[in-house]
Amino acid sequence: MKPIATTRSAMGIMTGKLAVYWVLVSEIVIFGGLLACYVMNRIAHVEWAEQAAHTNTWAGAFNTLILLSSSLSAVLAHQAAEKGNGKKAANLLYLTCLGGLVFLIVKSFEWTHEIKAGFTIQSSGFWAYYYTAAGLHAFHVIAGMLVMLWVASTAKKNQELHRVENVGIYWHFVDLVWIFLFPLLYIAK
Amino acid sequence: MANHADAHADEIGSGHHGHHEEPGFIKKYLWSTDHKMIGFQYMFTGMAMALLGAFMAYVFRMQLAFPGNPVPGFGVVSPGEYNALITNHGSIMIFWVAMPVLIAGFGNYLIPLMIGADDMVFPRLNRLSFQMFALSVVILIASLVVQNGGFGGAWTSYPPLSANPDYNLTPWGASLWLLAVAVEFVAFLLGGINFIVTTMNSRAPGMKAFDVPILVWTIVIASILFMASVGPLVAGAVMLLFDQLIGTSFFNPNKGGDPILWQHLFWFFGHPEVYVVMLPAMGIVAEVITVFARKKMFAYKTVIYTIIATGVLSFFVWAHHQFVAGIDPRMANVFTVTTVLISIPIAEMLFVYIATLYGGSIRFSTPMLWALGFIAEFLIGGVTGIYLGASGADIHFHDTYFVVAHFHYTFFPIAIIAVMAGVTFWFPKMFGRYMNEFWGKVHFWGTMIPFNCIFIPLFILGAAGEHRRIFDYHNFPHLGAQWMQDMRIFATVSLLVMLAFQLIFLINFIVSMFAGKKAPKNPWKANTLEWTADSPPPHGNWPELPTCYRGPYEYSVPGRADDFWPQNEKA
Amino acid sequence: MLDRLVPSAASYSGDVDQLILLTTWIVGAWFIAAEAMFFWLMFKFRAKDGVKAQYITGKEKHLKAWINIPHGLVLMFDVVLIVAAIRVWVLIKQTLPPADRTVRVMSQQWAWTFQDPGADGQLDTPDDIRTTDKLHIEVGKTYHFLLESKDVLHSFFVPAFRMKHDAVPGRTYTGWFKATKTGDYDISCAEICGVGHGVMGADLVIDTPENFQAWVTQNTPETALASTDGTDMSASTDSTSATAGQQ
């Protein structure tokens, strides 16, 4: 049973939503810190551009499109939840998850190809940041997918529908991080 | 808030504290989601870790006083073991004692009670955060007992030493230590969500922002500070783990990396971190001195603003730890300015606390002794920091015992003195019984006097050039001088005395838990909401959650018969 | 004041000591004032029968002054300290007076090696003198030191100079000092560098000009003396013809 505390709302915003925003604060600093290090190093190491030339811009662009589309389905899921249609919201969340899965599959092909070509995490500072940043992002994609499956499992019974919006906010953030990663890792050559 | 009263009306009868069967041992003590039990879990774990950290201090101080002699209870201390002891002493005291006790222990126990809520907003997340914390304890202890021993590269873990096992000779210890720290960070990120959101959203009807007790403010701001500063270090820890385990070169200068990058990532967090632990300590002191001086906090709003100012400014001082590390010397000047100026909000906070005594009616009960002791000792820590913030002087003092003495004069008040104030103050609420007042006072003096005897000599030794993290000073001709060795022995003996007095506290604590005199709801005649619940409070805290009608420090209000005015009493 | 604890042997160590003394006067005065006020208030307002505490909000102007005035004063003193600190910092870390002599200071796990330029006064020539854990310098001469590390972070600390700087692998730091007293002093490694950090000390020997000359002469490597009278610059194979005229 939920404590009364969870249902209060002195700030006028629902508790779960407020919590997700604070989670994002800490995530922004984590990714921000990592990317700031990458950018400073990239500027200091002109030779990294040679390495960066070998990232697969088409795969990155495709993945960007996939994530943006999955954010769209997350928004639609929220709309369905607002209207009280838990089953539809759950299905749209499954679709969002599918987007995440496609993203991860594309990424694994990318990385397999790159590793086989000799571009491993040890081979240069550029690749160290590339795999670490994209890897940390992928870890958050997986975590998001798991949470989304859990939210969908209660939403389809028309329960806890407010969680659909909250997990959507998290997913948009994961998307936003990718919007930064894509130009930094794929376009800056 | 317009719908506050409505929300309150909705709450009556909807609580879950109707019919409960008494939970079994596991559910009650190990698998609980009740914020009070989780608070205890953090507190007791923190106290146990304090014993471990204190044991380490005992061993390495014995080595320093009587080098080469076997230490009773440990044996002969090798140079590698010495480094592991000082590394883990520091790490344990900061991450596994100060943070869990001050933030997660007191925070979990008191925040819902002080704001009139029945629990934290996410009880299961709360339980998970403790479990992650417990996991970090296990990993840390594992790091001490693996092959080649515990990590010995200092709590700051600078690469290349920490990144390369050929240099540090403790491959398992180094990575497990780092992993333990990373897991501890995750635990506090999760826990922080609860403190922040619960305080923002779940306050009692009528409790406006400036009706919230200072301790709650400080824990929330500390959590925000932690959240906003630890990110780059989480990234850095991943990078260092990769350097250690899979051969990346983020920090390896032989392959294009930069060891100084780690330092920036570490201290960008490391400096706000000291304020993360300082703020709750100051919060505890605020609660205790208002009650025992029977006085409104002098300029409550000023205190809140200085807390926020300190938090914000703390992000701009970090490189004072790196003055001689190889940063651009022009940058050092910027950080001297910010570091010396940060003394202003902190001084202001201390002045306000001292001013709160003016016009008071001060009773010197044990909690008050500790709170006043905090102010007296923290002042020393604060002023000695100026020597280190002044870059020109820091060239000499950096990495000497002067630094060690400075930070013990801040950390010891934070992690021990303020905690003792809090423990002795809230013990009756937590356990429904009083601690013994006489033995409490004996413990107080038996801690404070030896504490000064340990650390004043260290200022002098540091100024004389005694550098840090050395297992035997006889290897350095001028540092092996007899007068210096005498001071080391004096400091060590004082530590032994201080540790002996902690036995009194342990016995007082344990005996009082079971056999202390029974305590009423409000033994100190205090205003804040936790004192209106039973001692100890039941699951759900109150049968009916309180409403708030005024601020927390309405003591000695003219015209009233009582010299206190609980927040939940109707006007 | 600090020189009672550790000798002051460099041209700038007095400046550091004066900064420390200034800081001591200022923070000492504040510390005593704050503690005195603190204890006096504790004493004056201790609980007395029948005397109730006062209700003070902190908005009272005459009482707020007790916070605001010290606040302003602290700010003023902070500015004084900042200026004093920066001056010393600039002197030691942001100026590089021309060198009379340059030495290389190499740190590694767990020893110090020093490279003196030898009789020709130039580093990286055959007559350089390499020593382990002992640095000989001449009093009164301005030295540059090139600080390096072979492995992990170390730190070159000379308490008698009040001088310290970290040795970072992959970088060379150029610092300076000018010794003002002869004698034997400690060099310590002031950055934890592994299990041998506790044995990584070295001796600093500050010689008179005569003794230093003698040390150079006695320690010039055999190879550099081989084909010359010991003072020739060139190490080339046709040094014999170059020096022929000098004999």
Side-chain angles (χ1 to χ4, degrees), chain B residues 262-438:
Chain B
W262 166 267
Q263 295 182 23
H264 286 295
L265 293 172
F266 182 88
W267 287 114
F268 181 78
F269 160 71
H271 199 85
E273 164 70 2
V274 314
Y275 298 107
V276 168
V277 293
M278 184 195 93
L279 292 179
M282 299 209 70
I284 292 175
V285 171
E287 302 306 329
V288 173
I289 61 174
T290 47
V291 170
F292 288 91
R294 314 309 288 163
K295 280 263 342 270
K296 204 171 156 87
M297 172 56 76
F298 186 97
Y300 166 96
K301 280 196 185 158
T302 303
V303 173
I304 304 299
Y305 296 142
T306 52
I307 289 171
I308 296 175
T310 304
V312 171
L313 276 173
S314 73
F315 279 98
F316 298 100
V317 303
W318 84 89
H320 65 233
H321 299 271
Q322 297 167 268
F323 280 144
V324 296
I327 62 170
D328 189 323
R330 293 166 296 181
M331 286 301 290
N333 297 321
V334 174
F335 284 97
T336 292
V337 173
T338 53
T339 303
V340 175
L341 289 179
I342 203 174
S343 63
I344 293 182
I346 299 174
E348 181 132 347
M349 230 188 286
L350 287 168
F351 293 159
V352 169
Y353 282 18
I354 294 174
T356 301
L357 296 177
Y358 177 83
S361 172
I362 303 170
R363 276 166 187 77
F364 296 97
S365 313
T366 304
M368 187 57 158
L369 287 176
W370 287 109
L372 294 171
F374 174 91
I375 296 174
E377 303 286 13
F378 194 82
L379 268 169
I380 299 180
V383 301
T384 50
I386 302 284
Y387 289 91
L388 303 173
S391 49
D394 186 66
I395 301 173
H396 180 65
F397 288 125
H398 172 74
D399 234 276
T400 64
Y401 267 76
F402 194 93
V403 177
V404 176
H406 157 72
F407 67 66
H408 279 91
Y409 266 98
T410 48
F411 265 121
F412 189 89
I414 287 170
I416 307 291
I417 299 181
V419 166
M420 287 299 162
V423 167
T424 52
F425 184 55
W426 280 292
F427 187 96
K429 178 57 55 189
M430 291 174 175
F431 301 106
R433 294 173 185 276
Y434 287 100
M435 283 182 84
N436 183 295
E437 183 66 13
F438 171 75

